[in-house]
Amino acid sequence: MSEQESTPVVRRVDDRHRYEILVDGRRAGLTAYRDREDRRVFFHTEIDDAYAGRGLASVLVEQALTDVRASGMRIVPICPYVAKFLTKHGEFADITDPVTPEVEKWLDGVLGR
């Protein structure tokens, strides 16, 4: 087997409400969202342990947020990783909305938690 891996691929999976990052065709992680009107509310990001430490979460979130911009939507970063990413990437500030108790309550209802 080759030590060299292909470039990770990020895809949006609308029916599962998430973006996935694939390495050599295998899902290495995801960032999950729900849409509320024109806002994409991100609430969870994970990278499988086997792929940890490779910077994949950053690649995944950057491409997901770029897709949100291209879709004409806005970002609500409930997910701590997405929120942290946004503090370091000001290029998304113009499409980022604050997390409010009202949005958190809405998300809890949608997710049944």
Coordinates of all heavy atoms in Angstrom, one line a residue, residues 8-83:
P8 N -8.0 15.2 0.5 CA -9.3 15.0 1.1 C -10.4 15.6 0.2 O -10.2 16.7 -0.4 CB -9.2 15.6 2.4 CG -7.7 15.7 2.7 CD -7.1 15.8 1.4
V9 N -11.6 15.0 0.2 CA -12.7 15.6 -0.6 C -13.8 15.9 0.4 O -14.1 15.1 1.3 CB -13.2 14.5 -1.6 CG1 -14.5 15.0 -2.3 CG2 -12.1 14.2 -2.6
V10 N -14.4 17.1 0.3 CA -15.5 17.5 1.2 C -16.8 17.4 0.3 O -16.8 18.0 -0.8 CB -15.3 18.8 1.8 CG1 -16.6 19.3 2.5 CG2 -14.1 18.8 2.7
R11 N -17.9 16.8 0.8 CA -19.1 16.8 0.1 C -20.3 17.1 1.1 O -20.2 16.8 2.3 CB -19.4 15.4 -0.5 CG -19.6 14.3 0.5 CD -19.8 13.0 -0.2 NE -20.0 11.9 0.9 CZ -20.0 10.6 0.6 NH1 -19.8 10.2 -0.6 NH2 -20.1 9.8 1.6
R12 N -21.3 17.8 0.5 CA -22.5 18.1 1.3 C -23.5 17.0 1.1 O -23.7 16.6 0.0 CB -23.1 19.4 0.9 CG -24.2 19.9 1.8 CD -24.8 21.2 1.4 NE -25.5 21.1 0.2 CZ -25.6 22.0 -0.8 NH1 -24.9 23.1 -0.7 NH2 -26.3 21.8 -1.9
V13 N -24.0 16.4 2.2 CA -25.0 15.3 2.2 C -26.3 15.9 2.7 O -26.5 15.8 3.9 CB -24.5 14.1 2.9 CG1 -25.4 12.9 2.8 CG2 -23.0 13.7 2.5
D14 N -27.1 16.5 1.8 CA -28.3 17.2 2.3 C -29.2 16.3 3.1 O -29.8 16.8 4.1 CB -29.0 17.8 1.1 CG -28.3 19.0 0.5 OD1 -27.6 19.7 1.2 OD2 -28.4 19.2 -0.7
D15 N -29.5 15.1 2.6 CA -30.5 14.3 3.3 C -30.0 13.8 4.7 O -30.8 13.4 5.5 CB -30.9 13.0 2.5 CG -29.7 12.1 2.2 OD1 -28.5 12.6 2.2 OD2 -30.0 10.9 1.9
R16 N -28.7 14.0 5.0 CA -28.2 13.7 6.4 C -27.8 15.0 7.1 O -27.3 14.9 8.2 CB -27.1 12.7 6.3 CG -27.5 11.4 5.6 CD -26.6 10.3 5.8 NE -26.8 9.8 7.2 CZ -26.1 8.7 7.7 NH1 -25.3 8.1 6.9 NH2 -26.3 8.4 8.9
H17 N -28.0 16.1 6.5 CA -27.8 17.4 7.2 C -26.3 17.5 7.6 O -26.1 17.9 8.8 CB -28.7 17.7 8.4 CG -30.2 17.5 8.0 ND1 -30.9 18.4 7.3 CD2 -31.0 16.5 8.3 CE1 -32.1 18.0 7.2 NE2 -32.2 16.8 7.8
R18 N -25.4 17.2 6.7 CA -24.0 17.3 7.1 C -23.1 17.4 5.9 O -23.5 17.1 4.8 CB -23.6 16.1 8.0 CG -23.6 14.8 7.2 CD -23.4 13.7 8.2 NE -23.2 12.4 7.6 CZ -23.3 11.3 8.2 NH1 -23.5 11.2 9.5 NH2 -23.1 10.1 7.6
Y19 N -21.9 17.9 6.2 CA -20.8 17.8 5.3 C -19.9 16.7 5.7 O -19.7 16.6 6.9 CB -20.0 19.2 5.2 CG -20.8 20.3 4.7 CD1 -21.6 21.1 5.5 CD2 -20.6 20.7 3.3 CE1 -22.3 22.2 5.0 CE2 -21.3 21.8 2.8 CZ -22.2 22.5 3.7 OH -22.9 23.6 3.2
E20 N -19.4 16.0 4.8 CA -18.4 14.9 5.2 C -17.1 15.1 4.5 O -17.1 15.7 3.4 CB -19.0 13.5 4.7 CG -20.3 13.1 5.3 CD -20.9 11.8 4.8 OE1 -20.5 11.4 3.7 OE2 -21.7 11.3 5.5
I21 N -16.0 14.7 5.1 CA -14.7 14.8 4.5 C -14.3 13.3 4.3 O -14.4 12.5 5.2 CB -13.7 15.6 5.4 CG1 -12.4 15.8 4.6 CG2 -13.5 15.0 6.7 CD1 -11.5 16.9 5.1
L22 N -13.8 13.1 3.1 CA -13.4 11.7 2.7 C -11.9 11.7 2.4 O -11.4 12.6 1.8 CB -14.1 11.3 1.4 CG -15.7 11.4 1.4 CD1 -16.2 11.1 0.0 CD2 -16.3 10.5 2.4
V23 N -11.3 10.7 2.9 CA -9.9 10.4 2.6 C -9.8 9.1 2.0 O -10.2 8.1 2.5 CB -9.0 10.4 3.9 CG1 -7.6 10.1 3.7 CG2 -9.1 11.8 4.6
D24 N -9.2 9.0 0.8 CA -9.2 7.8 0.0 C -10.5 7.1 -0.1 O -10.6 5.9 0.0 CB -8.1 6.8 0.6 CG -6.7 7.4 0.4 OD1 -6.5 8.1 -0.5 OD2 -5.9 7.1 1.3
G25 N -11.6 7.9 -0.3 CA -12.9 7.4 -0.4 C -13.6 7.0 0.8 O -14.8 6.5 0.8
R26 N -13.0 7.1 2.0 CA -13.6 6.7 3.3 C -13.9 8.0 4.1 O -13.1 8.9 4.1 CB -12.6 5.8 4.0 CG -12.5 4.4 3.4 CD -11.7 3.5 4.3 NE -10.3 3.9 4.5 CZ -9.3 3.6 3.6 NH1 -9.6 2.9 2.5 NH2 -8.1 4.0 3.8
R27 N -15.1 7.9 4.7 CA -15.5 9.1 5.5 C -14.5 9.2 6.7 O -14.4 8.3 7.5 CB -16.9 9.0 6.0 CG -17.4 10.3 6.6 CD -18.8 10.3 7.1 NE -18.7 9.7 8.4 CZ -19.6 8.9 9.0 NH1 -20.7 8.6 8.3 NH2 -19.5 8.5 10.2
A28 N -13.9 10.4 6.9 CA -13.0 10.6 8.0 C -13.6 11.5 9.0 O -13.0 11.6 10.1 CB -11.7 11.2 7.4
G29 N -14.7 12.2 8.7 CA -15.3 13.1 9.6 C -16.5 13.8 9.0 O -16.8 13.6 7.9
L30 N -17.1 14.6 9.9 CA -18.3 15.3 9.4 C -18.5 16.6 10.3 O -18.0 16.7 11.4 CB -19.5 14.4 9.5 CG -19.9 13.9 10.9 CD1 -20.9 14.8 11.6 CD2 -20.5 12.5 10.9
T31 N -19.3 17.5 9.7 CA -19.8 18.6 10.5 C -21.3 18.7 10.2 O -21.7 18.6 9.0 CB -19.1 20.0 10.2 OG1 -19.6 21.0 11.1 CG2 -19.2 20.4 8.7
A32 N -22.1 18.6 11.2 CA -23.5 18.5 11.1 C -24.2 19.9 11.3 O -23.7 20.7 12.0 CB -24.1 17.6 12.2
Y33 N -25.3 20.0 10.6 CA -26.1 21.3 10.6 C -27.6 21.0 10.5 O -28.0 20.0 10.1 CB -25.6 22.2 9.5 CG -25.9 21.7 8.1 CD1 -27.2 21.9 7.5 CD2 -25.0 20.9 7.4 CE1 -27.5 21.4 6.2 CE2 -25.3 20.4 6.1 CZ -26.6 20.6 5.6 OH -26.9 20.1 4.3
R34 N -28.3 22.1 10.8 CA -29.7 22.2 10.4 C -29.9 23.6 9.8 O -29.3 24.5 10.3 CB -30.7 22.0 11.6 CG -30.7 20.5 12.1 CD -31.3 19.6 11.1 NE -31.5 18.3 11.7 CZ -30.7 17.3 11.8 NH1 -29.4 17.5 11.4 NH2 -31.0 16.1 12.3
D35 N -30.8 23.6 8.8 CA -31.1 24.9 8.2 C -32.4 25.5 8.9 O -33.4 24.9 9.1 CB -31.4 24.8 6.7 CG -30.1 24.5 6.0 OD1 -29.0 24.7 6.5 OD2 -30.2 24.0 4.8
R36 N -32.3 26.8 9.1 CA -33.4 27.6 9.6 C -33.5 28.9 8.8 O -32.7 29.8 8.9 CB -33.2 28.0 11.1 CG -34.3 28.7 11.7 CD -34.1 28.9 13.2 NE -35.4 29.3 13.8 CZ -35.5 30.2 14.7 NH1 -34.4 30.8 15.2 NH2 -36.7 30.5 15.2
E37 N -34.5 28.9 7.9 CA -34.6 30.0 7.0 C -33.3 30.1 6.2 O -32.9 29.1 5.5 CB -35.1 31.2 7.7 CG -36.4 31.1 8.4 CD -36.7 32.1 9.4 OE1 -35.8 33.0 9.7 OE2 -37.7 32.0 10.1
D38 N -32.7 31.2 6.2 CA -31.5 31.4 5.4 C -30.2 31.2 6.2 O -29.1 31.6 5.8 CB -31.4 32.8 4.8 CG -31.3 33.9 5.9 OD1 -31.6 33.7 7.1 OD2 -30.8 35.0 5.5
R39 N -30.3 30.5 7.4 CA -29.2 30.3 8.3 C -28.9 28.8 8.4 O -29.8 28.0 8.6 CB -29.4 30.9 9.6 CG -29.4 32.4 9.6 CD -29.8 33.0 10.9 NE -31.2 32.8 11.2 CZ -31.8 33.0 12.4 NH1 -31.1 33.5 13.4 NH2 -33.1 32.8 12.5
R40 N -27.6 28.5 8.2 CA -27.2 27.1 8.4 C -26.6 27.1 9.8 O -25.5 27.7 10.1 CB -26.2 26.7 7.3 CG -25.7 25.3 7.4 CD -25.4 24.7 6.1 NE -26.6 24.5 5.3 CZ -26.6 24.3 4.0 NH1 -25.5 24.2 3.3 NH2 -27.8 24.1 3.3
V41 N -27.2 26.3 10.7 CA -26.8 26.2 12.1 C -25.9 25.0 12.3 O -26.4 23.9 12.2 CB -28.1 26.2 13.0 CG1 -27.7 26.1 14.5 CG2 -29.0 27.4 12.8
F42 N -24.6 25.2 12.5 CA -23.7 24.1 12.7 C -23.7 23.8 14.2 O -23.5 24.7 15.0 CB -22.3 24.5 12.2 CG -22.2 24.6 10.8 CD1 -22.4 25.8 10.1 CD2 -21.8 23.5 10.0 CE1 -22.3 25.8 8.7 CE2 -21.6 23.5 8.7 CZ -21.9 24.7 8.0
F43 N -23.8 22.5 14.5 CA -23.9 22.1 15.9 C -22.9 21.0 16.3 O -22.8 20.8 17.5 CB -25.3 21.7 16.3 CG -25.9 20.5 15.6 CD1 -25.7 19.3 16.2 CD2 -26.5 20.6 14.4 CE1 -26.2 18.1 15.5 CE2 -27.0 19.5 13.8 CZ -26.9 18.3 14.3
H44 N -22.3 20.3 15.4 CA -21.4 19.3 15.8 C -20.4 19.0 14.7 O -20.7 18.9 13.5 CB -22.2 18.0 16.1 CG -21.3 16.8 16.5 ND1 -20.7 16.7 17.7 CD2 -21.0 15.7 15.8 CE1 -20.0 15.6 17.7 NE2 -20.1 15.0 16.6
T45 N -19.1 18.9 15.1 CA -18.0 18.5 14.2 C -17.2 17.4 14.8 O -16.9 17.4 16.0 CB -17.1 19.7 13.8 OG1 -17.9 20.8 13.3 CG2 -16.0 19.3 12.9
E46 N -16.9 16.4 14.0 CA -16.0 15.3 14.5 C -15.1 14.7 13.4 O -15.5 14.7 12.3 CB -16.9 14.2 15.1 CG -17.7 13.4 14.1 CD -18.6 12.3 14.7 OE1 -19.3 12.6 15.7 OE2 -18.5 11.2 14.2
I47 N -14.0 14.3 13.8 CA -13.0 13.6 13.0 C -12.8 12.3 13.6 O -12.5 12.2 14.8 CB -11.7 14.4 12.8 CG1 -12.0 15.8 12.1 CG2 -10.7 13.6 12.0 CD1 -12.5 15.7 10.7
D48 N -12.9 11.2 12.8 CA -12.6 9.9 13.4 C -11.2 9.8 13.9 O -10.3 10.4 13.4 CB -12.8 8.8 12.3 CG -14.2 8.7 11.8 OD1 -15.1 9.3 12.4 OD2 -14.4 8.1 10.7
D49 N -11.0 9.1 15.1 CA -9.7 9.0 15.7 C -8.6 8.5 14.8 O -7.5 9.0 14.9 CB -9.8 8.0 16.9 CG -10.6 8.5 18.1 OD1 -10.8 9.8 18.1 OD2 -11.0 7.8 18.9
A50 N -8.9 7.7 13.8 CA -7.9 7.1 12.9 C -7.3 8.3 12.0 O -6.3 8.1 11.4 CB -8.5 6.0 12.0
Y51 N -8.0 9.4 11.9 CA -7.6 10.5 11.0 C -7.2 11.7 11.8 O -7.0 12.8 11.2 CB -8.7 10.8 10.0 CG -9.1 9.6 9.1 CD1 -10.1 8.8 9.4 CD2 -8.3 9.4 8.0 CE1 -10.4 7.7 8.6 CE2 -8.6 8.4 7.1 CZ -9.7 7.5 7.4 OH -9.9 6.5 6.6
A52 N -7.2 11.6 13.1 CA -6.9 12.8 14.0 C -5.5 13.3 13.7 O -4.6 12.6 13.3 CB -7.0 12.4 15.5
G53 N -5.3 14.6 14.0 CA -4.0 15.2 13.9 C -3.5 15.6 12.5 O -2.4 15.9 12.3
R54 N -4.4 15.5 11.5 CA -4.0 15.8 10.1 C -4.6 17.1 9.6 O -4.4 17.4 8.4 CB -4.5 14.7 9.2 CG -4.0 13.3 9.6 CD -4.4 12.3 8.5 NE -4.2 11.0 9.0 CZ -4.5 9.9 8.2 NH1 -4.9 10.0 7.0 NH2 -4.3 8.7 8.7
G55 N -5.2 17.9 10.5 CA -5.8 19.2 10.0 C -7.1 19.0 9.2 O -7.5 20.0 8.5
L56 N -7.7 17.8 9.3 CA -8.9 17.6 8.4 C -10.1 18.4 8.9 O -10.9 18.8 8.1 CB -9.2 16.1 8.4 CG -8.2 15.2 7.8 CD1 -8.6 13.7 7.9 CD2 -8.0 15.5 6.3
A57 N -10.2 18.7 10.2 CA -11.4 19.4 10.7 C -11.4 20.8 10.1 O -12.4 21.4 9.6 CB -11.4 19.5 12.2
S58 N -10.2 21.4 10.0 CA -10.1 22.8 9.4 C -10.4 22.8 8.0 O -11.1 23.7 7.5 CB -8.6 23.3 9.6 OG -8.5 24.6 9.1
V59 N -9.9 21.8 7.2 CA -10.3 21.7 5.8 C -11.8 21.5 5.6 O -12.4 22.2 4.8 CB -9.5 20.5 5.1 CG1 -10.0 20.2 3.7 CG2 -8.0 20.7 5.2
L60 N -12.4 20.6 6.4 CA -13.8 20.3 6.3 C -14.6 21.6 6.6 O -15.5 21.9 5.8 CB -14.1 19.2 7.4 CG -15.6 19.0 7.7 CD1 -16.3 18.5 6.4 CD2 -15.8 17.9 8.8
V61 N -14.3 22.3 7.7 CA -15.1 23.4 8.1 C -14.9 24.6 7.1 O -15.9 25.2 6.7 CB -14.8 23.9 9.5 CG1 -15.4 25.2 9.9 CG2 -15.3 22.8 10.5
E62 N -13.7 24.8 6.6 CA -13.5 25.9 5.7 C -14.3 25.6 4.4 O -14.9 26.5 3.9 CB -12.0 26.0 5.4 CG -11.7 27.2 4.4 CD -10.3 27.5 4.2 OE1 -9.4 26.6 4.5 OE2 -10.0 28.6 3.8
Q63 N -14.3 24.4 3.9 CA -15.0 24.1 2.7 C -16.5 24.2 2.9 O -17.3 24.6 2.0 CB -14.6 22.8 2.1 CG -13.1 22.9 1.5 CD -12.7 21.7 0.7 OE1 -13.6 21.0 0.1 NE2 -11.5 21.4 0.7
A64 N -17.0 23.7 4.1 CA -18.4 23.8 4.4 C -18.9 25.3 4.4 O -19.9 25.6 3.9 CB -18.7 23.1 5.7
L65 N -18.1 26.1 5.1 CA -18.4 27.5 5.2 C -18.4 28.2 3.8 O -19.2 29.1 3.5 CB -17.6 28.3 6.2 CG -17.6 27.7 7.7 CD1 -16.8 28.6 8.6 CD2 -19.0 27.5 8.2
T66 N -17.4 27.8 3.0 CA -17.4 28.4 1.7 C -18.6 28.0 0.9 O -19.2 28.8 0.1 CB -16.1 27.9 1.0 OG1 -14.9 28.4 1.7 CG2 -16.0 28.4 -0.5
D67 N -19.1 26.8 1.1 CA -20.3 26.3 0.4 C -21.5 27.1 0.9 O -22.4 27.5 0.1 CB -20.5 24.8 0.7 CG -21.8 24.3 -0.1 OD1 -21.8 24.3 -1.3 OD2 -22.8 24.0 0.6
V68 N -21.6 27.4 2.2 CA -22.7 28.2 2.8 C -22.7 29.6 2.1 O -23.7 30.0 1.7 CB -22.5 28.3 4.3 CG1 -23.6 29.3 4.8 CG2 -22.7 27.0 5.0
R69 N -21.5 30.2 2.0 CA -21.4 31.5 1.3 C -22.0 31.4 -0.1 O -22.8 32.2 -0.6 CB -20.0 32.0 1.3 CG -19.9 33.4 0.6 CD -18.5 33.9 0.5 NE -17.8 34.1 1.8 CZ -18.0 35.2 2.5 NH1 -18.9 36.1 2.2 NH2 -17.3 35.3 3.7
A70 N -21.5 30.4 -0.9 CA -21.9 30.2 -2.3 C -23.4 30.0 -2.4 O -24.0 30.3 -3.4 CB -21.1 29.0 -2.9
S71 N -24.0 29.4 -1.3 CA -25.4 29.1 -1.3 C -26.3 30.4 -1.0 O -27.5 30.3 -1.0 CB -25.8 28.0 -0.3 OG -25.1 26.8 -0.7
G72 N -25.6 31.5 -0.6 CA -26.3 32.7 -0.2 C -26.9 32.6 1.2 O -27.8 33.4 1.5
M73 N -26.3 31.7 2.0 CA -26.9 31.6 3.4 C -25.9 32.2 4.4 O -24.9 32.7 4.0 CB -27.1 30.1 3.7 CG -28.1 29.4 2.7 SD -28.3 27.7 3.1 CE -29.3 27.8 4.6
R74 N -26.3 32.1 5.6 CA -25.5 32.7 6.7 C -25.2 31.5 7.7 O -25.8 30.5 7.7 CB -26.3 33.8 7.5 CG -26.6 35.0 6.5 CD -27.3 36.1 7.2 NE -26.4 36.7 8.3 CZ -25.4 37.5 8.1 NH1 -25.0 37.8 6.8 NH2 -24.7 38.0 9.1
I75 N -24.2 31.8 8.6 CA -23.7 30.7 9.5 C -24.1 31.1 10.9 O -24.0 32.2 11.3 CB -22.1 30.7 9.4 CG1 -21.7 30.4 8.0 CG2 -21.5 29.8 10.4 CD1 -20.3 30.9 7.7
V76 N -24.5 30.1 11.7 CA -24.7 30.2 13.1 C -23.9 29.1 13.8 O -24.2 27.9 13.6 CB -26.2 30.1 13.5 CG1 -26.3 30.2 15.1 CG2 -27.0 31.1 12.8
P77 N -22.8 29.5 14.5 CA -21.8 28.5 15.0 C -22.1 28.0 16.4 O -21.4 28.4 17.3 CB -20.5 29.2 14.9 CG -20.9 30.7 15.2 CD -22.2 30.8 14.6
I78 N -23.0 27.1 16.6 CA -23.3 26.5 17.9 C -22.1 25.5 18.2 O -21.7 25.4 19.3 CB -24.7 25.9 17.9 CG1 -25.7 27.0 18.0 CG2 -24.8 25.0 19.2 CD1 -27.2 26.5 18.0
C79 N -21.7 24.8 17.2 CA -20.6 23.9 17.4 C -19.3 24.6 17.9 O -18.9 25.6 17.2 CB -20.2 23.2 16.0 SG -18.7 22.3 16.1
P80 N -18.7 24.2 19.0 CA -17.5 24.9 19.5 C -16.4 24.9 18.5 O -15.6 25.9 18.4 CB -17.1 24.1 20.7 CG -18.4 23.4 21.1 CD -19.2 23.1 19.9
Y81 N -16.2 23.9 17.7 CA -15.1 23.9 16.8 C -15.3 24.9 15.7 O -14.4 25.7 15.3 CB -14.8 22.5 16.1 CG -13.6 22.6 15.2 CD1 -12.4 22.4 15.7 CD2 -13.8 22.9 13.9 CE1 -11.2 22.5 14.9 CE2 -12.7 23.1 13.1 CZ -11.4 22.8 13.6 OH -10.3 23.0 12.8
V82 N -16.5 25.0 15.2 CA -16.8 26.0 14.1 C -16.7 27.4 14.7 O -16.1 28.3 14.0 CB -18.3 25.8 13.5 CG1 -18.6 26.9 12.6 CG2 -18.3 24.4 12.8
A83 N -17.1 27.6 15.9 CA -17.0 28.9 16.6 C -15.5 29.3 16.7 O -15.1 30.4 16.4 CB -17.7 28.9 17.9

